[in-house]
Amino acid sequence: MGGKALGNTKNKEPESLEGVLERITFYNEENGFLIGKLKGQTKSAEIAVVGKAPKVQCGETLVLSGNWTTHPKHGRQFSFTSLKSKLPASAYGIRKYLASGLIHGIGKTYANKIVDHFGADTLRVISEESARLREIEGIGKLRAKSIKEAWEEQKTVREVMMFLQTYGVTDALCLRLVRKYGNSAKNILETEPYRIIREVKGIGFKTADKIALNLGLASNGPARIEAGILHTLQESEDEGHTHVERRELALNAANLLEADTGNVETRIDALMNDEELVTSKPDWVQNPISARAEATIVRCLINQSKATSSLPSIHTEKAIDWAQGKAGFTFADQQAEAVRQALQSKISILTGGPGTGKTTILRALVSILRAKKTKILLAAPTGRAARRMADSCSHFAQTVHRLLKFDPSQGGFTMNDQNPLTCDFVIMDEASMLDLRLAAALIRSLPPKAHLLLVGDADQLPSVGSGNVLKDLIECQLFQVTRLAVTFRQSENSGIVGLAHGILGGKGSPPPPVDSPSEINPQHDVHFVRAETPEKCVTVVTKLSKDILPEKFSIDPKNDLQILAPLHRGIGGIGNLNDQLRDTLNPTGATQVMGSLLFREGDKVIQTRNNYDKDVFNGDMGIIEAVDTLNGKVDIDFEGKKVSYQRMEVTDLQPAYAISVHKSQGSEYPVVIFPLLKQHFMMLQRNLVYTGLTRAKKKVVFVGDPAAYAMAIRNDKTLVRQTDLVRKLLNIPE
């Protein structure tokens, strides 16, 4: 029905059609395309309607604007270009509306009971006299309260969704707006659209600008130009830079705004005067938060390096000999040197690829420090990395966020230079993941006499946030750096480790591709299955996940397998892969729907932002244990930690059958599937493949086009991040 319709509607005057939405035949969550059946006001026959719409429900009265067309297969239909929605006014429409499952606590049975009792007055009763719902058999105080709350919440969400239907804002973002502003959401959108850019993650300048201009706000107004400047700077930070050249900022903002460069320069000066922008050099512009973070790192590291050590007297060579005896083998020269430098230097860095012995060094170091009864703190950016660190070192480890004790009421970390950590030695693993601001928070919290060891693989992808802290600290040459180059871990997963080091040299080649997933050799660690189109790629990934890998390697596809994909959109992207894998691996179970978000009991999910109240953080993964469809509650098991999410909180979750390579940093998985297609060309870089490959502990299966793999390995021209940390550390004059 959604195919090409006959008849030219370009020059026709739009017609109007009003009726009750009877059925939704098809709805595309990604682009909002709807195919439905409408019951008109005067005709009893259902009318086929097609067009783009926000998420609507059966039973709503729709007022459509468009034209009649004739589909070659499905016949006459109404193709609409705009839509207005009214709450149903008739008992018939209300019954249909409530039976759709829109309001938690009301299914088909209760919809019939309530409408039979209250008739056309039902919605008013729910809104204004919800206590009367208890007149219905089976509805007690708690259910009545839940229905009332769900109705009020849905009303607000619905208003925002209808307002934003033409702006391309996803249902998830609509829910986030409502969660942030409550009943004031629509008013703020109409009066202060640029405000939402700073306050609601995911709402960008272009969306806010479209709203503002449609509302008639001046295109050359100070609010718009300043929002455009800050957006341009934020885009630069999103690419990893911590500063931008002023002229470049002005030109890019002027281009975005289609404004005079002089007007933009004037507003840059105004933002400088208001300290919303600062200069690091005369011609460099920074976000003041980034500038303070760089200054904090410089000040604290310099003070740290000058202060005396709080470690007790340690005879380094005897300690290394003792650690070797405890380990049962002799350390390589580089490994012994790393332990030596960590004990003797206040600040040191340990970097190396997989299999080079970083874990051996950490284990030895922790053993020595514990034997000397020192206070050691181990940390990592993610929960998974912290747990892995704790297991390998036999010592408690935690995330940086937990270590620094974030206080939501204050909007910052409790531990800082005024309230430092109590410790003698801090070891930070997966340090390449530390962005500028988190690194500053960590370094600021160290007592001056404590030692700091940063551990990481400098060849991995840089942090998601701005900055390139680990590489900058290595580059400045002010601190002791041990580079591990010798590979020791060959027997465990020689194929993965060998390929990883080959990739860094631009020469790594996987085994010859096979044409069918059933042909992969169980004896190998690395595999490549040819699938040169996105459609074929998805089919192969699904078959590998459901049948081939569980059978050949005896793995649990949810707990032991992770799909890592370069892009979110498209047929071969993360979104579609998650949809297909959910339907394949978890097709049944109680389901919770919030806008376009769907969560099912047994689903694998990932947290997408830090939630300090719940003690879950961006990148934490879990399995949905229970879905309470009545109250809209979802219970999740985050690897042994049980967390409950209320209806509006689930917007912080995403399906995690497939995740991005960036999201995988700091984690390891027994088996990884890595789709690589030419359609991913924007992301095909050597360090992306290297990072994804090294997330696999036992097996990795590339699925896709061998030419795409070759493109990625050849491309080592990663974006150079513009940072000011090295210059400031070396005290180079402006």
Side-chain angles (χ1 to χ4, degrees):
M1 194 183 299
K4 193 172 183 179
L6 302 178
N8 183 16
T9 63
K10 276 188 179 180
N11 300 318
K12 291 183 179 179
E13 287 293 321
E15 301 178 56
S16 183
L17 177 67
E18 182 173 340
V20 175
L21 184 62
E22 285 287 303
R23 285 188 290 132
I24 298 173
T25 309
F26 172 80
Y27 187 73
N28 185 318
E29 301 281 1
E30 193 166 310
N31 61 17
F33 184 75
L34 169 75
I35 302 173
K37 294 286 189 178
L38 203 74
K39 189 171 183 179
Q41 293 181 306
T42 58
K43 298 180 181 179
S44 58
E46 292 181 351
I47 302 164
V49 294
V50 297
K52 288 188 177 182
K55 194 68 177 282
V56 290
Q57 299 293 327
C58 292
E60 289 188 57
T61 297
L62 303 182
V63 181
L64 308 175
S65 179
N67 294 102
W68 291 97
T69 59
T70 302
H71 191 277
K73 182 177 178 181
H74 301 286
R76 197 163 185 256
Q77 58 187 26
F78 191 81
S79 179
F80 63 89
T81 53
S82 65
L83 168 154
K84 291 182 180 178
S85 175
K86 302 177 182 177
L87 287 174
S90 67
Y92 172 82
I94 295 170
R95 192 185 306 273
K96 197 87 176 174
Y97 186 68
L98 295 181
S100 68
L102 178 73
I103 309 301
H104 294 283
I106 303 180
K108 190 173 182 180
T109 300
Y110 277 112
N112 287 329
K113 286 183 178 181
I114 294 170
V115 177
D116 285 346
H117 191 75
F118 296 114
D121 206 29
T122 295
L123 298 185
R124 188 196 65 78
V125 170
I126 294 174
S127 183
E128 301 173 11
E129 300 178 72
S130 59
R132 290 187 62 195
L133 291 169
R134 296 167 66 183
E135 297 171 15
I136 309 299
E137 184 182 355
I139 297 182
K141 186 177 180 180
L142 289 177
R143 185 179 284 268
K145 183 174 180 285
S146 175
I147 290 171
K148 166 71 171 177
E149 289 174 350
W151 168 253
E152 293 298 331
E153 181 183 278
Q154 189 58 43
K155 271 202 318 183
T156 304
V157 171
R158 186 174 172 277
E159 281 184 357
V160 173
M161 284 182 174
M162 296 303 297
F163 178 76
L164 294 174
Q165 65 177 293
T166 60
Y167 300 109
V169 178
T170 65
D171 291 355
L173 284 178
C174 288
L175 291 168
R176 198 170 292 163
L177 282 163
V178 173
R179 184 169 149 196
K180 174 73 176 177
Y181 301 119
N183 293 332
S184 304
K186 188 167 180 288
N187 181 59
I188 289 170
L189 286 166
E190 291 177 324
T191 58
E192 301 177 86
Y194 295 112
R195 172 181 166 185
I196 63 178
I197 302 171
R198 304 184 192 186
E199 297 181 356
V200 181
K201 185 180 178 182
I203 299 286
F205 170 79
K206 290 181 180 178
T207 298
D209 195 44
K210 192 184 290 184
I211 296 170
L213 295 177
N214 282 355
L215 291 171
L217 274 68
S219 63
N220 61 349
R224 180 173 185 261
I225 293 177
E226 289 182 8
I229 293 167
L230 295 174
H231 168 73
T232 303
L233 181 62
Q234 184 58 55
E235 281 193 322
S236 178
E237 289 214 339
D238 290 344
E239 291 178 352
H241 309 301
T242 66
H243 66 79
V244 63
E245 195 269 326
R246 174 173 172 141
R247 184 62 180 167
E248 181 186 348
L249 174 64
L251 289 172
N252 288 343
N255 184 58
L256 169 73
L257 298 162
E258 298 181 347
D260 180 73
T261 307
N263 288 343
V264 174
E265 290 276 9
T266 299
R267 299 321 309 170
I268 289 176
D269 289 335
L271 289 167
M272 292 280 189
N273 290 333
D274 292 340
E275 297 184 345
E276 291 193 60
L277 295 176
V278 297
T279 55
S280 62
K281 289 176 67 176
D283 58 343
W284 287 1
V285 178
Q286 281 190 294
N287 179 316
I289 297 174
S290 296
R292 285 195 297 271
E294 286 181 338
T296 295
I297 291 173
V298 172
R299 172 175 55 82
C300 293
L301 285 182
I302 297 300
N303 291 341
Q304 199 87 13
S305 62
K306 292 178 179 178
T308 57
S309 171
S310 62
L311 291 183
S313 177
I314 299 175
H315 192 297
T316 305
E317 300 310 315
K318 286 183 178 179
I320 293 172
D321 289 342
W322 175 84
Q324 290 178 142
K326 190 175 174 62
F329 60 88
T330 301
F331 298 160
D333 290 345
Q334 283 187 332
Q335 293 175 315
E337 179 63 17
V339 175
R340 189 177 295 113
Q341 293 295 347
L343 292 173
Q344 295 177 347
S345 305
K346 290 292 299 300
I347 302 163
S348 56
I349 298 168
L350 175 63
T351 184
T356 54
K358 294 192 296 293
T359 300
T360 297
I361 295 165
L362 295 189
R363 206 180 282 131
L365 193 57
V366 170
S367 296
I368 293 168
L369 293 170
R370 287 177 67 175
K372 287 293 185 175
K373 301 188 180 333
T374 59
K375 175 67 173 174
I376 320 163
L377 295 175
L378 307 187
T382 68
R384 278 176 171 258
R387 283 188 291 274
R388 192 174 73 246
M389 192 183 190
D391 291 342
S392 62
C393 295
S394 300
H395 189 85
F396 176 71
Q398 58 194 312
T399 64
V400 184
H401 301 89
R402 292 192 183 100
L403 177 70
L404 302 183
K405 297 182 175 61
F406 187 83
D407 182 359
S409 65
Q410 301 296 319
F413 293 107
T414 301
M415 312 310 293
N416 49 49
D417 48 356
Q418 301 303 309
N419 182 35
L421 297 163
T422 303
C423 62
D424 300 301
F425 208 115
V426 174
I427 302 176
M428 178 71 208
D429 201 8
E430 299 288 351
S432 63
M433 295 179 64
L434 285 177
D435 62 30
L436 179 68
R437 298 178 190 183
L438 189 56
L442 172 66
I443 292 168
R444 185 187 178 196
S445 72
L446 299 175
K449 292 186 176 184
H451 286 235
L452 172 65
L453 172 62
L454 297 174
V455 184
D457 186 348
D459 293 311
Q460 285 195 33
L461 290 170
S463 59
V464 175
S466 62
N468 208 353
V469 177
L470 182 63
K471 280 194 172 181
D472 285 348
L473 295 182
I474 293 171
E475 183 184 333
C476 75
Q477 299 182 358
L478 292 176
F479 312 108
Q480 294 293 334
V481 178
T482 304
R483 299 177 184 270
L484 303 176
V486 180
T487 302
F488 300 98
R489 196 176 65 195
Q490 287 291 346
S491 59
E492 184 181 337
N493 55 1
S494 58
I496 294 172
V497 172
L499 180 59
H501 288 276
I503 287 172
L504 291 179
K507 299 176 182 178
S509 297
V514 297
D515 293 319
S516 169
S518 60
E519 297 176 38
I520 63 174
N521 188 338
Q523 303 303 313
H524 293 167
D525 304 322
V526 183
H527 315 269
F528 203 119
V529 182
R530 191 189 305 274
E532 297 178 351
T533 67
E535 293 81 3
K536 180 68 179 302
C537 181
V538 172
T539 300
V540 170
V541 169
T542 304
K543 188 168 181 60
L544 282 166
S545 303
K546 183 176 184 292
D547 300 319
I548 304 295
L549 296 180
E551 291 172 8
K552 285 184 180 283
F553 304 127
S554 300
I555 64 166
D556 179 340
K558 288 185 190 176
N559 295 314
D560 301 328
L561 170 66
Q562 187 59 58
I563 289 87
L564 304 180
L567 289 178
H568 285 269
R569 296 186 177 275
I571 295 172
I574 292 166
N576 186 52
L577 281 167
N578 272 316
D579 289 344
Q580 300 302 317
L581 289 162
R582 173 198 283 123
D583 291 344
T584 301
L585 300 177
N586 192 35
T588 60
T591 301
Q592 162 84 320
V593 179
M594 284 297 290
S596 61
L597 296 172
L598 184 151
F599 301 98
R600 186 175 291 153
E601 282 183 8
D603 269 349
K604 184 178 181 179
V605 293
I606 187 169
Q607 179 77 7
T608 61
R609 76 176 188 95
N610 295 331
N611 188 320
Y612 301 94
D613 293 327
K614 294 186 182 296
D615 199 34
V616 290
F617 301 97
N618 188 6
D620 285 353
M621 296 173 69
I623 302 292
I624 296 178
E625 281 196 329
V627 173
D628 182 348
T629 55
L630 171 61
N631 298 301
K633 193 175 78 167
V634 174
D635 294 332
I636 300 172
D637 179 357
F638 287 101
E639 300 187 23
K641 181 175 63 182
K642 309 297 173 66
V643 182
S644 291
Y645 286 70
Q646 301 304 315
R647 186 179 293 117
M648 296 297 288
E649 294 174 326
V650 299
T651 57
D652 292 338
L653 299 169
Q654 292 290 337
Y657 299 98
I659 62 173
S660 69
V661 180
H662 268 106
K663 284 286 188 189
S664 74
Q665 286 183 269
S667 299
E668 285 186 342
Y669 315 95
V671 182
V672 165
I673 298 177
F674 198 156
L676 279 174
L677 297 162
K678 287 182 179 177
Q679 286 79 359
H680 300 149
F681 71 93
M682 291 180 62
M683 299 295 293
L684 293 179
Q685 295 176 343
R686 187 182 296 174
N687 61 351
L688 180 92
V689 178
Y690 174 81
T691 301
L693 172 70
T694 55
R695 299 309 89 205
K697 292 168 63 177
K698 297 179 179 178
K699 308 284 182 183
V700 65
V701 185
F702 292 101
V703 179
D705 190 339
Y709 177 91
M711 287 168 60
I713 303 308
R714 287 196 302 268
N715 182 15
D716 65 343
K717 303 294 191 291
T718 55
L719 178 69
V720 176
R721 295 191 168 191
Q722 302 297 326
T723 70
D724 202 22
L725 186 56
V726 173
R727 185 186 68 84
K728 288 174 178 173
L729 279 164
L730 297 176
N731 197 25
I732 298 172
E734 295 181 354

